[in-house]
Amino acid sequence: MIGLAQIISAHSQKPGTKTFPEKKRRGLLGLIAPERRMLQLSLSWLGLGPVAASPWQLLLLGGALFLARILAWIYSLYDNSCRLHCFPQPPSRHWFWRHMGMIQNNEEGLQLMTEMGHHFHDVYLCWFGAFYPILTLTHPKFIAAVLQAPAAVAPKEMIFYGFLKPWLGDGLLVSAGEKWSHHRHLLTPAFHFDILKPYVKIFNKSVNIMHAKWRRLTAKGSARLDMFEHISLMTLDSLQKCVFSFDSNCQESPSEYIAAILELSSLIIKRHHRVILYMDFLYYLTPDGRRFRKACDVVHNFTDAVIQERRSNLASQGVDDFLKAKTRSKTLDFIDVLLLAKDEHGKELSDEDIRAEADTFMFGGHDTTASALSWVLYNLARHPEYQERCRQEVRELLRDRESEEIEWDDLAQLPFLTMCIKESLRLHPPVTVISRSCTQDIVLPDGRVIPKGNDCIISIFGVHHNPSVWPDPEELHRTDFRHERDEGGAGAHPAALPPPARRQGAASEAGADPARRGRAVAAGGAAEHGCTVTGPGTAPPTLLRRSRIRGASPRASRGRCRTAENHRWSG
């Protein structure tokens, strides 16, 4: 602005030029004068006085402001560290890196988590680097304080979910707040028992395909099979039929769509473990980033094509005829439910919303179920006496029946198998941790306070291996006492139970009870020719898990471990 005044003055003195009218010149200079005085006042506190600002002076001012911000940040770190002193922490490995890298993505990492859960029975603190503290909660009373807080006070920690958004959009897993509540309300009818019942036949068919493939492989001399690989294809096959009414025959032949889902799952976890790739513009320059975009396009194109075809059929047939046809064929699938869903104002879900929810359930449904079933087989292989008792329970149920297919009503008649599945879910939860960011102070039951601005890990694995919650937590043994606790009996705490055990019906949770689907698959396996799963003999089990960590920072936990022990299948 000072330069503008000089220009005006010089311009008025040039020969042969038209001078500014006196009133206009005074008006312009009148506008400049207040801003000049403000600049002089802003510099006066530095002792520069009423002089014109030079670039060096402006640089000094900017440096002072930057230094002030740094000092304020350091003070906030110090204050937060002082407030966290009340929480115990394990010995650090390095003066600067502290606990970073302590929990590895392997069996030793899980064993360390178990040991810390035994030592710290409620909550403990870990520092991942000098500046990033994370509190891990391992007792149900402390977990309840965070989970029962309003969503605005303890929202999802969005680092991991941000990686999923290009693939899953604003589905239930990624969305929050009002949009999550709205979609959650619209999706609840999709899990009504009347809609879920026909799915049992789909599960039976998919399991029979898997069994037939195992028999062919063992006949060819295969002594060991990777359970997780085969079960993942089976769950994807089931979900594709239940969500899209589409049979890709993915268990027998390659499917581009199924391959894309498996690749996306792998790339997400790979990125989750590389902090340098958290920035999108760097990630999408890498070969993995380009593969991720290509796989997203494959998945989105498939889902969009199904939605467009189904919406076209709905428009041509009308809602009543469409529903009658679906009722006769008993093929009302997840896409149909989403297309027909309307809120109280008559508003429907957009095609983008439907795609997000369908992709979310394909991602979340296949991996967790496959992990749970793989661990059920693993634990039954380690305990042949329980395996035999499960088989006898199924055979007794199917005695004197023409069909050996498990039906919906049979699932409630398998109490021991149900107990084994729930105990396996307790020992090896498919999702080991979830995380929350505290936007306000949260008071814990013992009076300690989680300061706002900190992230918390809710250790599902930790609470299920906590000896103050479960007696002999490392043992797979179902007693009446444990079963009573699972069903909400004496001594039970809702936050201490495996998620399926605390769900009262499928409609109460946006996702069918995994134990129910596990019973259908496991019972079908027990009924199929009396097949036996055998473990690795007397050698110690290799607990290389494949578990997804939802919303967990990679610095907080080394995340998703790999596949369960290979087992032999003899039939």
Side-chain angles (χ1 to χ4, degrees):
M1 301 301 292
I2 295 172
L4 178 60
Q6 293 171 348
I7 291 171
I8 294 172
S9 177
H11 183 80
S12 64
Q13 295 174 6
K14 284 184 179 180
T17 61
K18 294 182 180 180
T19 60
F20 282 95
E22 186 64 19
K23 288 185 178 180
K24 186 177 293 186
R25 183 171 178 274
R26 288 180 180 176
L28 289 172
L29 292 176
L31 293 173
I32 295 169
E35 297 197 10
R36 180 187 297 174
R37 287 195 296 272
M38 289 175 63
L39 180 60
Q40 291 172 348
L41 287 173
S42 67
L43 297 174
S44 63
W45 69 279
L46 292 174
L48 300 178
V51 295
S54 70
W56 292 109
Q57 292 165 346
L58 293 175
L59 182 62
L60 180 61
L61 176 61
L65 293 174
F66 178 73
L67 179 61
R69 290 178 67 94
I70 292 295
L71 291 174
W73 178 70
I74 292 174
Y75 175 77
S76 68
L77 286 177
Y78 172 76
D79 180 63
N80 187 54
S81 177
C82 290
R83 297 186 67 188
L84 291 172
H85 274 170
C86 59
F87 297 103
Q89 53 184 297
S92 60
R93 303 174 61 183
H94 189 269
W95 69 271
F96 182 80
W97 300 115
R98 310 289 288 274
H99 304 102
M100 182 177 287
M102 184 172 65
I103 301 178
Q104 299 293 328
N105 180 35
N106 52 27
E107 180 181 354
E108 288 73 22
L110 288 173
Q111 291 174 345
L112 182 59
M113 288 176 63
T114 301
E115 290 173 9
M116 288 195 294
H118 288 183
H119 188 71
F120 306 109
H121 288 175
D122 43 34
V123 57
Y124 60 90
L125 173 68
C126 287
W127 287 84
F128 297 91
F131 312 117
Y132 186 44
I134 286 188
L135 288 163
T136 301
L137 309 176
T138 60
H139 194 281
K141 292 182 179 179
F142 290 77
I143 290 172
V146 175
L147 291 184
Q148 292 174 3
V153 174
K156 300 173 183 176
E157 193 275 319
M158 290 303 296
I159 292 177
F160 179 76
Y161 293 108
F163 301 158
L164 295 168
K165 196 161 187 176
W167 173 16
L168 305 182
D170 283 327
L172 281 182
L173 183 61
V174 178
S175 62
E178 185 178 346
K179 186 165 189 176
W180 181 91
S181 300
H182 181 251
H183 283 205
R184 168 72 170 77
H185 175 70
L186 290 178
L187 262 63
T188 298
F191 302 98
H192 191 277
F193 290 136
D194 290 338
I195 293 178
L196 296 178
K197 286 179 181 179
Y199 292 169
V200 175
K201 292 183 178 180
I202 294 176
F203 300 156
N204 285 333
K205 182 179 179 181
S206 297
V207 170
N208 290 340
I209 294 172
M210 182 177 68
H211 285 167
K213 184 165 67 171
W214 285 354
R215 287 194 296 272
R216 288 200 306 270
L217 291 173
T218 54
K220 293 178 181 178
S222 297
R224 288 177 176 268
L225 301 175
D226 185 339
M227 293 286 99
F228 189 85
E229 176 184 343
H230 290 272
I231 294 175
S232 290
L233 288 175
M234 183 272 294
T235 57
L236 281 167
D237 187 23
S238 300
L239 276 171
Q240 205 171 13
K241 294 170 183 174
C242 296
V243 174
F244 301 111
S245 295
F246 185 85
D247 187 357
S248 65
N249 196 30
C250 63
Q251 295 193 70
E252 299 288 356
S253 59
S255 164
E256 183 184 29
Y257 173 76
I258 298 300
I261 288 182
L262 294 173
E263 183 173 36
L264 286 170
S265 301
S266 176
L267 289 173
I268 288 289
I269 300 307
K270 188 176 180 181
R271 183 184 182 185
H272 187 49
H273 294 154
R274 298 184 178 181
V275 178
I276 195 174
L277 297 180
Y278 278 25
M279 293 178 285
D280 286 343
F281 78 93
L282 283 180
Y283 180 67
Y284 290 116
L285 292 175
T286 66
D288 282 352
R290 292 190 290 270
R291 287 168 55 204
F292 181 83
R293 280 186 166 170
K294 183 178 179 181
C296 280
D297 290 340
V298 171
V299 171
H300 290 166
N301 290 339
F302 174 85
T303 308
D304 287 341
V306 174
I307 293 171
Q308 292 301 325
E309 179 186 3
R310 205 69 59 82
R311 194 177 286 280
S312 175
N313 292 340
L314 181 60
S316 61
Q317 296 180 15
V319 175
D320 292 339
D321 291 340
F322 182 82
L323 281 174
K324 288 178 181 178
K326 290 291 181 177
T327 302
R328 285 194 300 269
S329 60
K330 295 183 180 181
T331 57
L332 189 69
D333 58 29
F334 189 58
I335 293 293
D336 296 329
V337 174
L338 295 180
L339 284 170
L340 295 169
K342 293 182 180 180
D343 62 16
E344 58 273 15
H345 303 294
K347 185 178 179 181
E348 300 176 343
L349 291 170
S350 67
D351 288 355
E352 184 178 355
D353 290 335
I354 294 174
R355 184 183 75 187
E357 301 301 349
D359 290 344
T360 295
F361 275 83
M362 287 298 297
F363 166 65
H366 89 272
D367 194 65
T368 53
T369 306
S371 175
L373 287 170
S374 297
W375 280 109
V376 169
L377 293 179
Y378 172 82
N379 286 309
L380 289 177
R382 293 186 63 203
H383 297 272
E385 68 279 14
Y386 295 160
Q387 183 180 168
E388 181 59 29
R389 185 171 170 183
C390 289
R391 180 177 295 106
Q392 291 302 326
E393 184 176 64
V394 174
R395 285 175 173 169
E396 185 66 26
L397 178 69
L398 298 178
R399 180 179 296 177
D400 300 328
R401 283 172 45 170
E402 293 183 3
S403 172
E404 291 190 352
E405 294 286 338
I406 295 293
E407 299 175 357
W408 174 269
D409 293 335
D410 295 331
L411 302 182
Q413 309 301 318
L414 301 168
F416 187 78
L417 178 60
T418 300
M419 288 191 289
C420 289
I421 292 173
K422 288 181 178 179
E423 183 74 345
S424 183
L425 286 170
R426 182 191 66 80
L427 282 172
H428 308 113
V431 179
T432 57
V433 304
I434 56 177
S435 61
R436 293 292 184 266
S437 297
C438 301
T439 61
Q440 297 181 23
D441 289 357
I442 295 179
V443 180
L444 297 175
D446 62 357
R448 287 180 289 179
V449 176
I450 301 175
K452 70 175 182 179
N454 288 285
D455 291 340
C456 295
I457 280 184
I458 296 166
S459 179
I460 300 172
F461 183 87
V463 75
H464 289 167
H465 290 256
N466 190 335
S468 66
V469 179
W470 299 100
D472 303 323
E474 306 308 317
E475 296 298 323
L476 178 76
H477 59 103
R478 273 299 186 181
T479 66
D480 292 338
F481 170 68
R482 289 198 178 208
H483 184 52
E484 183 183 8
R485 294 185 70 167
D486 276 356
E487 301 306 325
H493 191 293
L497 304 178
R502 63 175 182 262
R503 290 175 184 158
Q504 301 300 319
S508 65
E509 180 70 25
D513 186 341
R516 184 176 291 274
R517 179 156 61 172
R519 287 198 295 274
V521 175
E528 179 72 17
H529 301 291
C531 295
T532 302
V533 184
T534 59
T538 58
T542 304
L543 299 180
L544 294 181
R545 306 169 47 77
R546 182 181 177 91
S547 304
R548 183 165 67 260
I549 295 185
R550 289 184 175 171
S553 167
R555 293 165 289 186
S557 177
R558 287 303 182 184
R560 178 182 180 127
C561 311
R562 297 303 300 171
T563 312
E565 174 73 20
N566 290 348
H567 307 302
R568 291 188 296 275
W569 179 270
S570 59

